[in-house]
Amino acid sequence: MGKGGSVSSKEEHAMVEDAPVNTGAATWPDPVSAAAAVRRMQTKLHRWAADDVCRRFGDLFNLAYDPAFLVHAWHRVAANAGAKTPGVDRATVARIESGIGVQAFLGQIRDSLKSGEFAPVEVRQVLIPKASGKLRALGIPTVADRVVQAALKAVLEPIFEADFLPCSYGFRPNRRAQDAIAEIHFLATHGYEWVLEADIQACFDSIEHTPLTDRMRRRISDKRVLALVKAFLKAGVMTQTGDREQTLTGTPQGGILSPLLANIALSALDEHFDVHRRREMGTSEQRATRRRKGLGNWRLIRYADDFVVMVSGQREHAQARREEVAAVLAPLGLRLAPEKTRVVSIDEGFDFLGFAIRRRAKRGTLKKAVYTVPSKKAVQAIKDRMSRRTYRSTRQQSLAEVIGGLNLMLRGWANYFRHGVSARVFHSVDDHAWRRLVGWIRAKYSRIGMRELRRRFCDRGWRIAHEGIVFTGASSVAVTRYRYRGSTIPTPWTPNRAAATAA
């Protein structure tokens, strides 16, 4: 694919060789072969995009309905936890598998995409509670729309990953929240003492479609791909009352494609800070010169729509970034939430992605260090989940089932927070779980005494166990230091660059 969307004969041959595009009757590969073909094509797309930052791709739509991409997309959708959740057509993955069958279903999707008849339908709205007590609206697409979105994401993601900057961590392959926390910790220990803690108001619901598609056009000239993306954005919402609402703005939360589209839009913020930094703060000498002149230095760390700006300098330097951020977000239709956007010092501390980050004196010394621990909000959230898991409504279950459920819940929670200074918090959470279990046992077994409870339901000391299932809790997860990876995090398509080039 050359500039302006032209395709060289060599590249066209490579595409057809890797995936049977624009063929007549579909030949459906097995999942392993499909994944391999998709990975080869993604590697090529990523390399072409990385090698030429001005390249625009004009022959992508056929990949979206290629059998390998559709089979790969189906298995991604089927393996997702939401496979049992239907859209407005009430169809689920299981229902499709036991009905017309997967190949016939994918064949219908492929035919409708090739003919131009495919049209996304409105998403089914569900409301889920947020930690604040408010409700978050999620949009559940139909299975067919999910498959097309997954195929489209597989085509677009390797192209835009070539442009995304290291400061962005959310919903990107090979990147995770712990990388963002590690960078904040690194900067906080290297003189970045002020923090602009920012929150975008209703980000996913408010992104303007026109600036989003304008940013996509920098890389994509295929009008059919752009039209399909726009169709998903405009598909509308079926509310819980059965009313259909238009979606004039936003990327509905719940769609497979939405996180990628949000990152494309919000990369405007990344690029703004990156240009400024490379021009004026790109070297240690430049940063030192700015410090001597009383000017600040800063870095952006973003995880989807959550971000902070770390500032080395004075409070006013951090305050000025607030207006700067607002000016960059305004053309996207976004604005900062005033009540959740503030400037704090690292000594005051702040919460980010569930962690509380603060500099304080080490115990027994005057020397200060930056600590990251699970935030009070995160601790309360897991305690509330444990309380719900041990309500009276669960007493019809066996003790072994309840213990197993708590172990699974706490292990997942602790694995997320194990890279912080979390051991003490883990023990505190386990104490809460132990008390909830004791209360559950005594309520289920007619208020038995503690001595009887220990005899019947503890295997060693006061460790609760039943039918071979032992309560292990969060403390069973070892606390370890997370390795800061800086800007060297590879994408899935770059580690074997030499092999990809030879392919």
Side-chain angles (χ1 to χ4, degrees):
M1 294 178 194
K3 294 179 182 178
S6 62
V7 184
S8 71
S9 59
K10 183 178 179 181
E11 289 171 346
E12 185 176 23
H13 173 74
M15 289 174 64
V16 175
E17 185 178 47
D18 276 332
V21 297
N22 284 333
T23 57
T27 301
W28 299 102
D30 63 86
V32 175
S33 299
V38 169
R39 175 58 62 91
R40 287 196 300 270
M41 192 66 245
Q42 288 180 318
T43 301
K44 291 178 183 295
L45 291 170
H46 183 75
R47 186 174 73 245
W48 294 336
D51 287 346
D52 186 350
V53 296
C54 297
R55 187 173 217 155
R56 299 180 70 222
F57 292 77
D59 188 17
L60 296 176
F61 191 74
N62 52 359
L63 287 177
Y65 63 75
D66 174 72
F69 276 77
L70 288 177
V71 168
H72 183 63
W74 167 265
H75 282 275
R76 295 295 296 269
V77 170
N80 190 274
K84 298 179 181 179
T85 307
V88 294
D89 62 355
R90 312 310 300 175
T92 62
V93 166
R95 183 175 172 183
I96 291 166
E97 289 174 335
S98 62
I100 66 172
V102 176
Q103 287 194 7
F105 176 72
L106 296 180
Q108 291 177 358
I109 292 176
R110 185 171 188 265
D111 291 342
S112 63
L113 284 169
K114 287 181 68 176
S115 65
E117 296 174 353
F118 179 85
V121 299
E122 58 269 15
V123 299
R124 182 171 66 88
Q125 186 184 72
V126 296
L127 301 176
I128 61 171
K130 298 170 64 175
S132 62
K134 297 181 181 179
L135 295 175
R136 173 187 287 117
L138 290 183
I140 309 299
T142 63
V143 175
D145 286 354
R146 278 178 249 175
V147 169
V148 176
Q149 285 194 37
L152 200 54
K153 179 175 182 283
V155 174
L156 296 175
E157 187 173 49
I159 296 172
F160 285 98
E161 271 294 323
D163 297 334
F164 289 159
L165 295 168
C167 64
S168 166
Y169 294 97
F171 302 113
R172 293 183 58 189
N174 287 357
R175 289 168 169 259
R176 55 187 72 94
Q178 286 78 7
D179 287 311
I181 298 298
E183 180 164 5
I184 291 172
H185 189 278
F186 175 82
L187 293 173
T189 56
H190 286 79
Y192 288 75
E193 300 181 341
W194 294 97
V195 183
L196 172 62
E197 184 186 5
D199 182 86
I200 301 175
Q201 191 161 297
C203 177
F204 281 83
D205 296 329
S206 305
I207 294 174
E208 292 283 353
H209 294 166
T210 298
L212 168 59
T213 53
D214 285 346
R215 292 189 67 80
M216 291 191 68
R217 286 191 185 94
R218 296 182 183 181
R219 279 299 202 175
I220 310 299
S221 61
D222 191 324
K223 293 182 179 179
R224 294 175 299 172
V225 168
L226 294 170
L228 185 56
V229 170
K230 188 173 182 179
F232 278 117
L233 292 173
K234 300 291 186 183
V237 174
M238 183 68 72
T239 67
Q240 292 183 320
T241 59
D243 297 323
R244 187 185 185 281
E245 294 181 352
Q246 290 182 300
T247 47
L248 302 177
T249 62
T251 59
Q253 294 187 62
I256 293 172
L257 201 56
S258 293
L260 174 61
L261 297 179
N263 267 335
I264 292 172
L266 291 172
S267 61
L269 187 64
D270 307 341
E271 291 168 6
H272 171 84
F273 277 90
D274 184 65
V275 167
H276 196 173
R277 182 169 181 81
R278 283 190 291 109
R279 187 174 61 236
E280 300 181 19
M281 314 170 202
T283 67
S284 57
E285 291 78 9
Q286 286 177 314
R287 293 191 292 274
T289 299
R290 288 178 63 85
R291 283 194 295 271
R292 286 196 299 271
K293 293 180 178 180
L295 303 174
N297 297 299
W298 45 83
R299 290 263 293 268
L300 171 74
I301 298 98
R302 182 175 67 82
Y303 189 93
D305 59 330
D306 292 324
F307 66 92
V308 295
V309 181
M310 303 291 293
V311 177
S312 171
Q314 304 298 322
R315 177 184 285 270
E316 55 264 28
H317 298 137
Q319 292 282 13
R321 307 287 72 76
R322 180 172 182 155
E323 286 70 33
E324 187 177 344
V325 167
V328 176
L329 294 178
L332 300 172
L334 303 175
R335 61 192 184 94
L336 296 173
E339 69 281 2
K340 296 182 180 180
T341 302
R342 60 181 188 142
V343 171
V344 297
S345 75
I346 195 65
D347 292 331
E348 296 174 76
F350 64 101
D351 292 354
F352 190 64
L353 303 179
F355 284 89
I357 305 167
R358 183 184 174 191
R359 185 175 62 184
R360 53 186 172 83
K362 289 184 176 181
R363 183 177 298 179
T365 71
L366 296 177
K367 187 177 180 180
K368 288 188 174 183
V370 177
Y371 290 86
T372 58
V373 299
S375 68
K376 292 181 180 179
K377 190 175 180 180
V379 172
Q380 187 59 51
I382 191 62
K383 287 183 177 180
D384 291 343
R385 287 178 63 196
M386 286 190 291
S387 296
R388 289 192 294 271
R389 191 70 179 79
T390 51
Y391 278 165
R392 68 173 63 185
S393 59
T394 66
R395 289 177 196 162
Q396 78 280 4
Q397 300 178 21
S398 71
L399 176 58
E401 288 178 304
V402 174
I403 293 173
L406 285 176
N407 281 343
L408 190 63
M409 178 193 304
L410 289 173
R411 192 177 304 119
W413 183 84
N415 272 322
Y416 179 84
F417 288 106
R418 68 192 178 102
H419 299 296
V421 186
S422 305
R424 182 177 296 182
V425 175
F426 286 0
H427 285 295
S428 172
V429 167
D430 285 350
D431 286 345
H432 178 82
W434 188 88
R435 288 193 295 271
R436 292 295 305 184
L437 276 174
V438 167
W440 187 92
I441 293 169
R442 297 191 68 195
K444 183 178 176 70
Y445 295 97
S446 304
R447 301 284 179 185
I448 63 172
M450 294 299 290
R451 180 177 297 179
E452 178 70 6
L453 183 149
R454 182 177 183 179
R455 184 184 69 81
R456 291 175 58 184
F457 302 109
C458 296
D459 73 337
R460 189 172 67 233
W462 284 98
R463 192 172 70 164
I464 297 175
H466 191 59
E467 297 177 358
I469 307 298
V470 179
F471 174 71
T472 54
S475 301
S476 64
V477 176
V479 174
T480 60
R481 181 181 294 274
Y482 191 81
R483 181 173 62 86
Y484 173 51
R485 298 193 286 171
S487 59
T488 62
I489 304 173
T491 74
W493 312 289
T494 54
N496 299 316
R497 186 177 179 85
T501 303

